[in-house]
Amino acid sequence: METTRLLLRRFTVADAPTLAAYRSDPEVSRYQSWESPVPLTEAERLAGTFSAGDPRAPGWFQYAVERRDVPGLIGDIGVCRSEDGRQAELGFTFAPEFQGQGYATEAVARLVRFLLVEEGLHRVSAACDGRNVRSARLLERVGFRREGHLVRSTWIKGEWTDDVLFGLLAAEYGAGPSAC
Ligand SMILES: CC(C)(COP(=O)(O)OP(=O)(O)OC[C@H]1O[C@@H](n2cnc3c(N)ncnc32)[C@H](O)[C@@H]1OP(=O)(O)O)[C@@H](O)C(=O)NCCC(=O)NCCS
């Protein structure tokens, strides 16, 4: 898939060193389930698994994101399709040097259009830590609605954390900022 500035493609094992580098950043992993640092061997295992995934099967498929003008991984977006294939959940991570430039919004907006318009899914959702304001801002920019706030609902990195839930229906798509 392409956007104005980006390419969303399948992972390859060659992405492993960059994946290890940005997933090892404590700021990047702060609200995520994995522990940093991520060793290169673990990143190679992950990239191998990602590269073999089926983007239309139930469960997670991880898209690699790169700029169209400069080759190389800048981030990844996970899409988890439900068993019946009618809904999907999103998760996203971008390397620090490629944050703050609208790349994540551009990539997520493209995937949302793919899922809701081109694939005909009913709903996409996402959840983030209550303190992850950048993630929440991104989701609202793309057109997601805040649907709930679960208090101290997830045990992660030694503490109970809040989860903020977001959703976007196909029936709503295009009515708001998700038209971007
Ligand atoms: C969540 C995450 C992807 C958000 O990244 P981000 O850089 O804030 O999002 P974008 O790439 O869309 O950039 C948006 C910012 O770029 C700015 N920007 C600069 N140039 C822009 C352009 N040409 N177009 C759009 N926005 C632009 C926007 O104003 C916005 O800044 P603001 O939030 O200060 O207003 C990132 O913080 C991340 O990877 N975090 C670690 C992993 C994580 O927690 N993931 C979420 C788990 S739920």
Side-chain angles (χ1 to χ4, degrees):
M1 262 174 277
E2 289 188 357
T3 69
T4 311
R5 298 181 293 173
L6 303 172
L7 185 63
L8 278 64
R9 59 158 172 82
R10 186 179 283 277
F11 262 84
T12 75
V13 280
D15 294 316
T18 309
L19 184 68
Y22 70 72
R23 285 200 173 202
S24 291
D25 185 314
E27 280 304 307
V28 168
S29 67
R30 183 167 177 214
Y31 302 121
Q32 303 276 30
S33 55
W34 72 80
E35 298 289 341
S36 59
V38 175
L40 181 58
T41 49
E42 171 60 4
E44 284 169 346
R45 190 192 65 77
L46 284 171
T49 305
F50 297 163
S51 71
D54 176 353
R56 289 197 163 86
W60 286 100
F61 179 81
Q62 216 74 20
Y63 288 89
V65 183
E66 77 176 32
R67 289 183 294 172
R68 288 171 57 174
D69 56 348
V70 186
L73 184 69
I74 68 164
D76 59 272
I77 305 182
V79 176
C80 183
R81 295 204 191 211
S82 60
E83 279 301 315
D84 67 5
R86 300 173 72 181
Q87 301 195 51
E89 181 183 347
L90 301 182
F92 33 79
T93 305
F94 278 69
E97 60 270 40
F98 298 107
Q99 294 182 19
Q101 299 169 67
Y103 289 133
T105 299
E106 191 170 316
V108 171
R110 179 68 187 92
L111 262 178
V112 166
R113 177 155 67 89
F114 170 67
L115 293 167
L116 294 182
V117 179
E118 296 162 28
E119 295 283 284
L121 270 63
H122 165 68
R123 177 177 176 269
V124 288
S125 64
C128 68
D129 187 296
R131 298 165 295 182
N132 197 347
V133 284
R134 297 190 70 175
S135 177
R137 271 212 301 265
L138 181 161
L139 289 164
E140 287 177 335
R141 264 197 303 272
V142 174
F144 282 77
R145 242 180 318 96
R146 259 174 214 257
E147 295 187 324
H149 187 128
L150 309 184
V151 177
R152 296 188 195 174
S153 54
T154 303
W155 178 260
I156 199 167
K157 298 194 166 89
E159 58 178 345
W160 287 108
T161 61
D162 291 9
D163 282 308
V164 184
L165 310 180
F166 293 85
L168 177 58
L169 300 172
E172 304 169 309
Y173 182 81
S178 57
C180 69

